[in-house]
Amino acid sequence: MAEGAGLQEALNLVVSLNLIKVIIELDSERIVTAVKKKIFPRNRWGRIAENCARFLDRHYEASITWVKRDGNAAAHHLARW
């Protein structure tokens, strides 16, 4: 749930800063897979993932990708903090 909410907030930031070419990296393979394949569970994070997928469909220069947690130690430490 937190990963989905984090993605949604990142996309809100993209809009508020009027960014165009954006790559968002997540360490939640489950969220990234759901958004990219458009297969959403019928629960709260599934609805959030669906909204994020719709956003990415409209903003074709924005994308998400999965990275291993140790691939971005700074983000992981910030999230834990």
Side-chain angles (χ1 to χ4, degrees):
M1 182 65 200
E3 291 281 347
L7 173 58
Q8 190 169 32
E9 286 303 313
L11 296 176
N12 289 339
L13 186 62
V14 166
V15 170
S16 69
L17 296 176
N18 202 24
L19 302 175
I20 302 204
K21 294 182 181 182
V22 176
I23 299 170
I24 298 171
E25 295 180 339
L26 297 170
D27 65 1
S28 174
E29 188 173 15
R30 191 171 183 191
I31 296 283
V32 173
T33 300
V35 170
K36 286 187 170 191
K37 292 187 175 184
K38 296 181 176 48
I39 300 172
F40 312 108
R42 299 181 85 183
N43 57 29
R44 190 164 180 210
W45 80 259
R47 287 190 299 274
I48 291 172
E50 184 175 7
N51 290 336
C52 292
R54 287 182 182 158
F55 175 92
L56 292 168
D57 285 345
R58 291 188 312 269
H59 299 85
Y60 63 93
E61 292 192 68
S63 65
I64 63 168
T65 187
W66 175 77
V67 293
K68 291 182 180 180
R69 179 168 288 159
D70 58 355
N72 192 347
H76 178 65
H77 290 297
L78 179 61
R80 286 182 58 202
W81 178 73

